[in-house]
């Protein structure tokens, strides 16, 4: 065996470990979701909040862990809140978002239909973290989702891919590693900057008419890098850098979606712009 081949599997492990680092150490299943109204299919949207909110988790996450902070936050503010699991690989329990992203978008499509049928709403709002902020754009652009979605809020979304602090650039020198990632975890391969999936997704523009887009990014994001690649271009886009709202907020890729109440406040503003209030460092206490 040539010496360089000995680093293939360790390098692959580094890339996978970097992705795993974005989620909590413990995992749970959606069946154990809190019973406070989250994923309550008897919930009917109010006049104040007429659209259900569908939460879309990130890679290596699931419909519970990713939303233990934001789901109760939105529920407390009167929203009907739902979350789904998507992108499961055969034989891999508890963690999701690993399958091909276009197939995951089809699962999102079916879930939105289910939520709309249960709530009687004409449209839903989508809030996603990491892959969950990017993947819905495929649903909007190619699967008819634009007719069923009012707004997409992406928290640290990899809209134009990630180079994982430059690590993915090494893949060109190690094609065996690239093949391994594509075969074992196609959802990861789809998120690498320059992938065929992202090229298709972003061709012809980032947005589709009729949908309101918000992107919330942190300059301390160590997973979706460079962080500016998260931002979208096009009409009806609101790109937000978290540190411009609060310079003292040091949230990185995981925290911005899991625990950061300054981000949560800005999500609430995006979902209900008519009642938006300024997001500041004090929003951490709201």
């Amino acid at each position: 065996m040539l010496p360089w081949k000995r680093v293939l599997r360790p390098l692959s492990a580094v890339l996978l470990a970097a992705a795993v680092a974005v989620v909590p150490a413990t995992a749970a299943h959606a069946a154990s979701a809190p019973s406070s109204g989250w994923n309550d299919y008897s919930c009917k949207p109010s006049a104040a909040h007429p659209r259900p909110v569908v939460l879309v988790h990130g890679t290596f996450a699931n419909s519970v862990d990713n939303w233990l902070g934001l789901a109760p936050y939105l529920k407390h503010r009167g929203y009907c809140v739902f979350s789904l699991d998507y992108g499961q690989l055969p034989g891999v329990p508890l963690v999701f978002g690993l399958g091909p992203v276009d197939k995951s978008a089809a699962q999102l499509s079916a879930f939105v239909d289910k939520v709309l049928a249960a709530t009687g709403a004409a449209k839903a709002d989508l809030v996603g973290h990491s892959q969950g902020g990017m993947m819905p754009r495929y649903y909007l652009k190619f699967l008819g989702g634009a007719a069923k979605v009012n707004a997409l809020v992406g928290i640290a979304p990899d809209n134009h891919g990630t180079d994982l602090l430059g690590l993915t650039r090494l893949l060109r020198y190690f094609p065996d590693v690239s093949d391994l990632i594509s075969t074992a975890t196609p959802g990861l391969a789809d998120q690498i900057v320059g992938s065929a999936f992202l090229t298709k997704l972003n061709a012809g523009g980032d947005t589709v008419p009729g949908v309101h887009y918000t992107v919330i990014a942190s300059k301390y994001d160590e997973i979706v890098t460079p962080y500016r690649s998260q931002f979208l271009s096009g009409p009806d886009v609101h790109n937000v850098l978290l540190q411009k709202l609060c310079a003292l907020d040091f949230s990185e890729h995981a925290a911005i979606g899991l625990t950061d109440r300054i981000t949560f406040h800005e999500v609430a503003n995006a979902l209900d712009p008519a009642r938006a209030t300024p997001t500041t460092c004090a929003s951490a206490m709201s």
Side-chain angles (χ1 to χ4, degrees), residues 250-274:
F250 298 103
S251 293
E252 38 63 66
H253 186 80
I256 190 176
L258 299 176
T259 61
D260 190 86
R261 291 179 71 88
I262 296 172
T263 297
F264 295 175
H265 187 272
E266 192 64 10
V267 169
N269 281 348
L271 294 175
D272 191 2

Side-chain angles (χ1 to χ4, degrees), residues 62-76:
N62 61 53
S63 61
V64 176
D65 288 348
N66 213 143
W67 306 120
L68 290 173
L70 183 57
Y73 181 96
L74 294 176
K75 173 61 185 174
H76 180 70

